[in-house]
């Protein structure tokens, strides 16, 4: 059994997200998840890693209120059972932008759905577009953007409602490595400014170690938490961290637990 580090947040920060005895069984009989217990501190950056099918997306969807647990309790951002968490921003692997709408309107969409007028929304939309470096592309259509820029627009859309919780499901998986590295750095800068709680699903050990304060390794059939590994590295991560001995050691440690999870 893998060594489980003590979760880092609990003694320092109030809990932002809590899964208590959570299980998910789908109607076809698939026992996708649990029971699992997991607590995530306010402002914490947690990565979920694990083999395909171990229930990472299912867990994220339940935290978002997009799926309901079969058993147990999910506490997150005060959302009502079965309702999306209003304080959460969700970023998927596909940028899921409306192709017929300009970048500005795509980013405005969550506020429009809440009944906020364009003029009221303008400062927030312009602020997040500037934060993700797309201020000069507000009038562009998604087809005019590169993959990385589409993902920036998707992140801006998730941030426009000033969420306290950001849920990201393999957001950079489809991007080339250089773009991914750049977006990793930009995301960390944004997180350092905004200090939202982040739950980030990835298949990349390297990405998880670079980004996270804590890595939760899950195993499959049924999905469960196999280990929690604290990333005891500087809060400010940059290319020197990526080249450090500590980074290599942590990547090796997480890879070993993942191998166990895949068995
Ligand atoms: N709507 C559904 N109906 C039935 N089974 C489902 C449904 N959604 C997910 N599952 C099953 O639940 C399990 C967990 O799926 P989930 O997508 O959460 O895993 P994951 O760890 O995110 O996988 P991946 O890394 O491949 O994205 C899988 O066995 C999957 O087939």
């Amino acid at each position: 059994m893998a060594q489980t580090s003590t979760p880092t947040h609990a003694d320092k920060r109030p809990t932002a997200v809590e899964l208590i005895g959570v299980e998910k069984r789908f109607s076809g009989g698939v026992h996708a998840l649990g029971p699992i217990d997991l607590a995530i501190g306010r402002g914490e950056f947690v990565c979920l890693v694990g083999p395909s099918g171990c229930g990472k997306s299912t867990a994220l969807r339940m935290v978002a209120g997009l799926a309901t647990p079969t058993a147990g309790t999910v506490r997150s951002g005060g959302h009502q059972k079965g309702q999306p968490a209003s304080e959460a921003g969700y970023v998927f692997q596909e940028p899921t932008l409306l192709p017929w709408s300009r970048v500005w309107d795509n980013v405005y969409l969550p506020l429009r759905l809440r009944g906020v007028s364009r003029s009221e929304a303008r400062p927030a939309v312009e602020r997040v577009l500037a934060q993700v470096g797309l201020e000069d592309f507000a009038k562009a259509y998604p087809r005019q953007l590169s993959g990385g820029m589409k993902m920036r627009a998707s992140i801006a859309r998730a941030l426009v409602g000033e969420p306290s919780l950001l849920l990201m499901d393999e957001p950079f998986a489809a991007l080339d490595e250089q773009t991914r590295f750049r977006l990793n750095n930009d995301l960390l800068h944004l997180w350092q400014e905004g200090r939202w709680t982040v739950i980030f699903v990835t298949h990349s050990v390297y990405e998880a170690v670079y980004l996270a304060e804590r890595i939760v390794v899950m195993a499959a059939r049924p999905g469960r938490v196999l280990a929690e590994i604290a990333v005891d590295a500087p809060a400010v991560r940059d290319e020197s961290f990526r080249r450090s001995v500590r980074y290599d050691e942590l990547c090796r440690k997480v890879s070993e637990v993942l191998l166990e999870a895949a068995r």
Side-chain angles (χ1 to χ4, degrees):
M1 185 68 189
Q3 201 62 38
T4 303
S5 312
T6 309
T8 47
H9 89 273
D11 45 350
K12 295 186 215 139
R13 311 182 208 190
T15 300
V17 174
E18 201 169 16
L19 279 69
I20 307 162
V22 167
E23 275 193 77
K24 182 69 182 177
R25 290 171 193 267
F26 287 102
S27 48
V30 179
H31 184 183
L33 196 69
I36 67 166
D37 297 301
L38 185 63
I40 295 171
R42 195 180 299 160
E44 192 178 14
F45 199 130
V46 169
C47 281
L48 299 186
V49 298
S52 194
C54 72
K56 303 179 294 296
S57 299
T58 301
L60 212 61
R61 289 175 58 77
M62 288 196 290
V63 171
L66 299 172
T68 42
T70 317
T73 306
V74 178
R75 294 203 185 111
S76 130
H79 71 78
Q80 303 294 310
K81 205 172 175 184
Q83 296 290 314
S86 58
E87 295 170 22
Y90 208 116
V91 182
F92 303 91
Q93 181 176 343
E94 293 300 325
T96 60
L97 302 171
L98 303 176
W100 56 84
S101 288
R102 296 178 193 272
V103 167
W104 202 99
D105 290 288
N106 269 286
V107 172
Y108 166 48
L109 183 65
L111 299 183
R112 182 157 73 91
L113 293 175
R114 282 190 220 164
V116 182
S117 71
R118 290 178 76 83
S119 56
E120 272 179 289
R122 191 169 305 280
V125 173
E126 284 170 7
R127 175 178 46 79
V128 290
L129 283 174
Q131 279 179 326
V132 301
L134 282 184
E135 61 271 58
D136 294 338
F137 292 86
K139 290 187 177 157
Y141 286 96
R143 65 175 178 277
Q144 297 171 300
L145 305 181
S146 67
M149 289 159 90
K150 284 182 194 154
M151 188 45 73
R152 287 175 192 278
S154 174
I155 292 171
R157 185 183 52 195
L159 294 179
V160 75
E162 298 191 14
S164 57
L165 174 64
L166 192 60
L167 304 169
M168 307 185 85
D169 197 350
E170 299 189 56
F172 307 144
L175 303 175
D176 66 85
E177 193 171 82
Q178 288 312 314
T179 306
R180 190 172 185 157
F181 284 0
R182 212 171 310 126
L183 281 168
N184 283 168
N185 287 335
D186 292 350
L187 176 63
L188 282 179
H189 284 135
L190 286 172
W191 172 67
Q192 271 143 17
E193 282 168 19
R195 281 289 163 177
W196 351 275
T197 309
V198 186
I199 310 179
F200 186 106
V201 171
T202 178
H203 277 280
S204 165
V205 168
Y206 305 102
E207 183 169 63
V209 172
Y210 192 69
L211 293 175
E213 296 180 281
R214 181 161 53 112
I215 298 173
V216 174
V217 184
M218 295 176 63
R221 283 178 292 278
R224 61 197 184 279
V225 174
L226 186 66
E228 297 183 35
I229 298 165
V231 180
D232 48 348
V236 178
R237 316 273 169 93
D238 56 18
E239 292 311 311
S240 63
F241 175 55
R242 227 189 266 284
R243 287 192 294 269
S244 68
V245 173
R246 187 66 194 132
Y247 179 70
D248 276 350
E249 287 168 353
L250 284 161
C251 289
R252 211 170 312 125
K253 183 172 173 181
V254 177
S255 297
E256 280 164 13
V257 182
L258 256 182
L259 267 180
E260 189 178 328
R263 257 178 229 138

